[in-house]
Amino acid sequence: MIEILEDRKTQVYENRREDSAFAMTCDKGSLAGSVSQRACVFCGSRVVLYPVADALHLVHGPVGCAAYTWDIRGALSSGPELHRMSFSTDLREKEVIYGGEGKLYCALTELIPTYKPRAAFVYATCIVGLIGDDVAAVCRRVAAEQGIPVIPVHSEGFKGTKKDGYAAACNALSQLIGRDDAGAAPEIGINILGDFNVAGETWLIKEYYREMGVEVVSCMTGDGRVDEIRRAHRASLNVVQCSGSMTALAETMKERYGIPYKRVSYFGIEDTASALYEVARHFDDPTVLKKTEHLVRREINRILPEIQGYKAVLQGKKAAIYVGGSFKAFSLVKALRHLGIATALVGSQTGNSKDYEVLRQLCDEGTILVDDTNPLELSRFMKEKQVDLLIGGVKERPIAYKMGIAFCDHNHERKTALAGFEGMLNFSREVHASLKSPVWRFSPTRKS
Amino acid sequence: MIEILEDRKTQVYENRREDSAFAMTCDKGSLAGSVSQRACVFCGSRVVLYPVADALHLVHGPVGCAAYTWDIRGALSSGPELHRMSFSTDLREKEVIYGGEGKLYCALTELIPTYKPRAAFVYATCIVGLIGDDVAAVCRRVAAEQGIPVIPVHSEGFKGTKKDGYAAACNALSQLIGRDDAGAAPEIGINILGDFNVAGETWLIKEYYREMGVEVVSCMTGDGRVDEIRRAHRASLNVVQCSGSMTALAETMKERYGIPYKRVSYFGIEDTASALYEVARHFDDPTVLKKTEHLVRREINRILPEIQGYKAVLQGKKAAIYVGGSFKAFSLVKALRHLGIATALVGSQTGNSKDYEVLRQLCDEGTILVDDTNPLELSRFMKEKQVDLLIGGVKERPIAYKMGIAFCDHNHERKTALAGFEGMLNFSREVHASLKSPVWRFSPTRKS
Amino acid sequence: MLLRHTPEQFVERQALTINPAKTCQPVGAMYAALGIHGCLPHSHGSQGCCAYHRSSLTRHYRDPIMATTSSFTEGASVFGGQANLVEAINNIFTLYNPEVIAVHTTCLSETIGDDLSQIIRKAQAEGKIPPGKTVIHTNTPSFKGSHVTGFANMTQGMVSYLAENTGKRREQVNILPGFVEPSDMAEIKRIATELKIKTILFPDTSGVVNSPLDGKFHMYPRGGATLEEIRSSGDSQFTLALGRTASLAAAKLLDTKCGVPFEVLDLPIGLRATDALIDSLRKIAGVTVPESLEVERGQLVDVISDMQQYLYRKKVSLAGDPDHLLALAQFLSDLDMEILHVVTGTPAGAKFENSLRQFVGESCEIKQGATADLFAFHQLVKREKPDLILGNTYLKYIARDEDIPYVRFGFPIYDRMGHQYFPIVGYRGGLRLLEKILGALMDRQDRDALEESFELVM
Amino acid sequence: MLLRHTPEQFVERQALTINPAKTCQPVGAMYAALGIHGCLPHSHGSQGCCAYHRSSLTRHYRDPIMATTSSFTEGASVFGGQANLVEAINNIFTLYNPEVIAVHTTCLSETIGDDLSQIIRKAQAEGKIPPGKTVIHTNTPSFKGSHVTGFANMTQGMVSYLAENTGKRREQVNILPGFVEPSDMAEIKRIATELKIKTILFPDTSGVVNSPLDGKFHMYPRGGATLEEIRSSGDSQFTLALGRTASLAAAKLLDTKCGVPFEVLDLPIGLRATDALIDSLRKIAGVTVPESLEVERGQLVDVISDMQQYLYRKKVSLAGDPDHLLALAQFLSDLDMEILHVVTGTPAGAKFENSLRQFVGESCEIKQGATADLFAFHQLVKREKPDLILGNTYLKYIARDEDIPYVRFGFPIYDRMGHQYFPIVGYRGGLRLLEKILGALMDRQDRDALEESFELVM
């Protein structure tokens, strides 16, 4: 039998309802030598800032960091698509020895006049941290010369975890915010934080708010625009999805501009509904509330019959969830319940101990909780729990398939919007499609 | 060594300049048991009438005859494309026993109101001849009922050779001709006979005549239209290309309407030029003559340099020619000479003894002449004569290739116009491309 | 708009085939005959038939196709074709020296009523058949069945003339591959070899109609089942007949004539049908399935699982031959696709429709036989537009006119290469089909994608 | 218009790569390491690298890709990564129990200056490497070369750590296949088997990254060259290094270290390059080429001859890796196509350019190394539009924007399947490439054809 490393034992937990001694270890670096599914600081920053479509994104480092992040994420833009180009200083041995500031300066001054972006983000990678380039200084100089914000992103890969990358991205965004005070601030205006418009999800959510009578001042990280971000401080509420990545920015804005924030999730029926209600209640405006009620009721009525149909077929299936952020995990547990599917295993790359306590409360007796797991653990538990479905990302997908287990991508590579009510419908369809795929009949271990 | 059948010995001839005893046997049925490249009566009729694009072509017989001739020929239409549909009475056992007239009648009365063709051709196939359907009677009845010409084509496959099929087609066309006398007859007007508009060749030729000031009253068999054919007797000259297929019709029209005809070929520089000059001279109109001179001079000047370029590279190569009609063979021998290529073997499916005499005169000492050859003979002679290029049709192509010999399709499946001056250029390019293809380097026997 | 003449509205047709989804028996018989080594197919009819069949097969294979004809004239059609055939046999052996002549009839000689057995006996008696040489025949009236029937009849003719039961059973299994490509026949042999089973596969056109360019013209290329092999099929343990329409007749006759028991299987197109073939082979020969085949199978399953989201509920319409359609429909249903329409010009009977119904559901429109032509197929497709159509080259008109993704499948394919060399049977063949289907669907998705949703990772 | 940011006008760039035509060394090293049976690749750097490489390979192969990371933190980058690596080795053997760990460096550990040999020795000394287990390494600084260099370095690392000359020559030939697909590696082995030659092929990812769905997750799939095989490479008669960029280093080292002579050949893509491989194998082993391979060759030549009119003088532009480009250019020139542009992000030197020049003529634009990126490729293609482009998935933007037929070729391919299972090397691989190329060209011809010239027979 496969062993769990001594050091990892406290990162794996089998749920017992009454457990006063629950203390999930998490929020710690992956062990050296593990097949971690986690990424690095740079990854965190790049993912968050990527959807700012009219900014220039220059990766300062060897070519790999730019190459691996070139348009791999379906964060859609309704207009400019500069973000889908891959710009890199492509540092070579010479710069590693003599420094890369010159090359960086040169690259920026070649790029900005050509592409006329509204702002530029310069991502520092591992090596930049080591060779000691003063990226901030170069950025300041170019900003002064070119007259646009040129913002360094301190995303050296080794300087922490993906979460630290989120923080660095938040920091970068905060440097843009507050730069534009023109015009009147909207009465009922929010910022959407942490929605990346994967498969057009932001558009869906924005449409809900529009219908509710709530103006979206900016959606910084989904179909993002520099000018919107510059005005973001004019909103009166920050609505934070994907709490892991964007709470830091919400905190900053609270401190700096006194804007309160709410952590929400748009995944699943309850969470979407309560997200919208929370926002509506925040503004305490009867019209908004009424419109919200109408919207929620209509949407639920619209989607529920189809979902009930799936539930009838899927009842009793068991799922495993392994996603990046724990907030999403909460929603998924609930969404799966709507489909009659119990969660037998749940974990995240970046949950904290509070998150795991929430998860524990949410989950059934016997559900396994894992933090920063690896394929061997994951596959072992999926087998033990006889799981029928895995929800995860690109690296988990083929593991599930090899085991003859259905899969739903809830990460960057999802192809349909999974957020909002419509998203719940899509999610149900995807789960149903994969679970009911005839292909599993041909898996040696799972003839069903 | 491969033998030539006793019966076939007189259909193969090795050219000697002074040979008073030359008497090529030809114009006879293929031997039972030979791998003849020839086809049948139906094939001849179908090929000739096929390009009449606004007529309905109904094949009365088992499905095969219709299936094998469904749009296999690139006879282009500038307008209607009814000819590219495949209509068949699909005779089954029942009709073979009880007769197919009912089905034929039914098919025509279903089709004509639906497609509203300008005329219908009904092809009788082998079996129709045997079961004794009175196709002509059915056609007459339907014609009367539907008010369009419904013309039987007596193309029972076994009733002769492909040539007899041509005759049947000519007969069918002649039933359309003379039906429309409205309007004034053009002063200088011709019919083009026997050009099938493969790869748009008719369009090329028509453009020449337009430029010469000669009106084309009809091109019956290339981009053909029923109404044009009905007026064809208003022309004052028939210009016959592909003499094998259409001379019969020209003869009929000469008899019936006193329209003289000229046999021409549009393949190669000399033949195209002399075709145009002959037509011009026929009308004895100085303007036409002048325009013709101008056209010919301009075109030759335009194409000659490129052709000279190919000649420089191809000089000394040897070709084999095996085509349907012998008139085309004459042109090809000359056209190849323009490219510095000698003809080592030449033959046709349907040449007559006069044709072979012309060929003999045209060809070099030692050239082999064959009538109605088969693959074994063909490959044997190509090998003996160390031929570099074969000009033929679909069934010959892979034989050449297997032997590592270049090929040019001069039959229905040619993809570029080979007629006219432009066609000579295309022909040169095709010959050059195939002869100079690097692929022959990889043939075991022909490393060059 | 090439097929502007196809109205959406159905009109019941009585007497008419428009744009046929079949052709006549002799071409199938000719193709089957090419699957005997050293065989010259002979068409007993007028010249045109032979020319058409040769052209048709040449276009499909891009290889020389050799066959002879009785060159019927008006005389023959009055007095019978006996003289022509006897003369032909004589000429053929003299000139082309094949091992065997495989004669098939045409509508002409059938209607005349030539008795081929008798004529061949006469030729034998007159010494027109040299010692050691063979003449076989089958009847292929063009006004019955279709090209598939012709293939079936010629295969049956091989059994009828050649298979012998010597009384000594051999450790070998007959496989009648059906009207499939040479690449498919080779793949079936490879699978049997992986299973370490000796098989007699006939007809076998691999190496005949996909022969190499070696600088020579070979009247008889290297491939083909040898006469000896086909003879020995009467001594085999068992016969697997792949495809009811194309292979049942011969298998039955092998049973009746030589006592070789048989089983009819679907063509091994796709996962389940290949499983069935391998399972049957395994049981008959008492062998175990080697890892190599399990890996191939697992790879196919793996790819299906990987790509499921691109296949799920995609609607597809099929035209082709019954045996192919049956296996293909099963495969596509296993891929989670929904089959809207199935059309075959070959009359295949209620059994075909019932078998098919398992895979296509009740709402699928199935048409076969008379007036089940590509015109009807086009009308169906117009009425309910699928995401994909599969069928022969003629479907390209429909694909263009209706702007539907299209995968070439079946016979004939006149405008692309590949089918001659890459099998669609077996697990590897399944992968190939899958690649083609996914390619067509994903190319369309890419083409139609809005710029912002044009995806790098699919 | 996705790439609206590509102007036609060239501007000399100093310091900038836009839309790279390469990636960094470690991913190549990771891929190579997967070609050892029972090996766990280990990335000595921060976590992100490993995650990116795994994702990248997972997208390309749609298979689980296992690798571990040293999980560098800020501490490691100050004090060196020794502790991390020693701990990692210990953890890996405890938890995942591989036969061998193959460590590669990253820009981070390279810049820090970790001495991997020393660290591995230390781990050995401290008993962190269990008896019978192996740790090998190579240096793969991301700021030098490209992914191909990383592959070459890891292959060289295998030789460096594993190959032994026991003094007893074995009747076997080493083949270093280069950075090709698992399907290609399997095909090269098949060809050698046809020649009845025993080969040691490494790295060998067949059966590792294209493994079957068998209902289980295998940390170490069945495939891969075994340690024993790689060790024995030092006793082989000869080494064939396929592709200079990917295989020369290892071949040289095998010569220096174990006295195994070598020859560098092009990747066996296309006719001539496959001829060369087979000819070399034949000579080295003193065998004759079997008919089976001659037939495959002849079939490829046959199809080229059949389809020549669709290939003649078609203009084509290529982006990819040097070894691939060289062989592909040769093949395309043998197909009578004209190569307009060749771009590789990998610095491949003058030798590459000179070799390439034989096949592409003087007017072809060749770009390699710095600023030879897909932005430059796009600019070239804008300036002179080819009939076809070949390259990795990223070319789909260019194909769409410029409306040019496109065949996926090389690494990575993120949006289609097939490359994992169907080889492009050898004669059969040539047929596959040819099918794809012809398909792309002929589909375009069909798409653009006027209705009246839309052709059934092509």
Side-chain angles (χ1 to χ4, degrees), chain A residues 3 32-33 35-38 43 68 70-71 81 86 88 90 92-93 110 115 158-159 401-402 413 445, chain D residues 2 5 14 17 19 22-23 47 54 59 63 68-69 74 77 91 95-96 144-145 211 213 215 397:
Chain A
E3 294 299 318
V35 185
S36 167
Q37 311 289 71
R38 279 181 177 169
C43 177
Y68 300 116
W70 178 13
D71 203 26
E81 304 210 283
S86 175
S88 165
D90 193 4
R92 310 302 286 172
E93 198 165 24
E110 277 175 44
Y115 294 111
F158 60 88
K159 285 191 173 167
Y401 286 163
K402 282 282 186 284
E413 278 166 38
T445 47
Chain D
L2 189 56
H5 305 294
Q14 303 294 324
T17 292
N19 299 345
K22 68 179 171 196
T23 182
Q47 273 183 58
R54 288 178 59 215
R59 289 192 182 98
D63 247 25
T68 51
T69 164
E74 204 138 12
S77 68
N91 284 341
L95 186 53
Y96 303 117
K144 273 189 189 170
S211 65
L213 189 164
Y397 302 126

Side-chain angles (χ1 to χ4, degrees), chain A residues 57 77 96-97 109 119 180 183-184 209 272 297 299 380 389 397 412 419 422:
Chain A
H57 299 266
S77 166
V96 173
I97 300 169
T109 46
D180 180 1
Y209 286 123
T272 303
R297 201 169 320 115
E299 285 296 297
R380 172 193 155 178
L389 168 75
R397 177 198 296 259
H412 312 328
E422 188 60 33

Side-chain angles (χ1 to χ4, degrees), chain C residues 63-78:
Chain C
D63 246 25
I65 302 295
M66 293 300 117
T68 51
T69 163
S70 289
S71 303
F72 267 45
T73 56
E74 204 139 11
S77 68
V78 175

Side-chain angles (χ1 to χ4, degrees), chain C residues 62-192:
Chain C
R62 301 174 196 268
D63 246 25
I65 302 295
M66 293 300 117
T68 51
T69 163
S70 289
S71 303
F72 267 45
T73 56
E74 204 139 11
S77 68
V78 175
F79 304 112
Q82 174 170 304
N84 290 56
L85 184 52
V86 172
E87 190 204 337
I89 289 172
N90 186 46
N91 283 340
I92 291 167
F93 282 120
T94 310
L95 186 54
Y96 303 117
N97 195 33
E99 287 304 302
V100 51
I101 300 172
V103 185
H104 61 262
T105 58
T106 57
C107 48
L108 184 55
S109 51
E110 283 292 330
T111 309
I112 295 168
D114 281 348
D115 179 346
L116 281 248
S117 309
Q118 180 268 323
I119 300 176
I120 291 169
R121 276 197 304 275
K122 185 178 152 67
Q124 185 89 57
E126 290 179 1
K128 306 290 190 189
I129 305 177
K133 301 291 180 174
T134 309
V135 178
I136 70 174
H137 97 277
T138 196
N139 292 88
T140 51
S142 313
F143 43 76
K144 273 190 189 169
S146 76
H147 55 294
V148 188
T149 326
F151 184 94
N153 286 342
M154 181 51 85
T155 308
Q156 192 188 29
M158 294 175 196
V159 172
S160 166
Y161 273 87
L162 302 171
E164 286 169 21
N165 181 346
T166 63
K168 223 176 66 187
R169 277 276 164 258
R170 300 201 197 197
E171 288 262 316
Q172 64 188 26
V173 179
N174 299 326
I175 301 185
L176 308 175
F179 197 154
V180 296
E181 297 297 343
S183 49
D184 295 325
M185 295 177 184
E187 179 66 3
I188 293 168
K189 288 189 290 183
R190 186 189 69 83
I191 289 172

Side-chain angles (χ1 to χ4, degrees), chain B residues 24-52:
Chain B
M24 189 90 170
T25 306
C26 48
D27 228 349
K28 78 171 201 181
S30 300
L31 280 178
S34 66
V35 185
S36 166
Q37 310 289 72
R38 278 181 177 167
C40 63
V41 180
F42 167 70
C43 176
S45 296
R46 186 86 173 96
V47 152
V48 167
L49 296 175
Y50 173 74
V52 183

Side-chain angles (χ1 to χ4, degrees), chain C residues 278-318:
Chain C
I278 289 174
D279 202 47
S280 285
L281 280 169
R282 177 184 70 77
K283 283 180 193 150
I284 294 160
V287 296
T288 52
V289 178
E291 194 185 298
S292 58
L293 289 177
E294 302 234 332
V295 168
E296 288 177 19
R297 181 185 191 279
Q299 287 180 326
L300 175 56
V301 180
D302 194 52
V303 175
I304 300 172
S305 75
D306 286 342
M307 307 308 281
Q308 52 180 290
Q309 71 194 103
Y310 295 97
L311 298 163
Y312 174 64
R313 291 219 178 147
K314 286 287 189 306
K315 289 177 289 178
V316 53
S317 300
L318 316 174

Side-chain angles (χ1 to χ4, degrees), chain C residues 394-406:
Chain C
Y394 287 99
L395 260 54
K396 75 188 290 185
Y397 302 126
I398 298 170
R400 178 183 166 114
D401 278 5
E402 306 302 327
D403 195 29
I404 302 173
Y406 159 45

Side-chain angles (χ1 to χ4, degrees), chain A residues 163-175:
Chain A
K163 276 188 185 174
D164 299 292
Y166 296 154
C170 290
N171 185 278
L173 288 171
S174 75
Q175 293 181 47

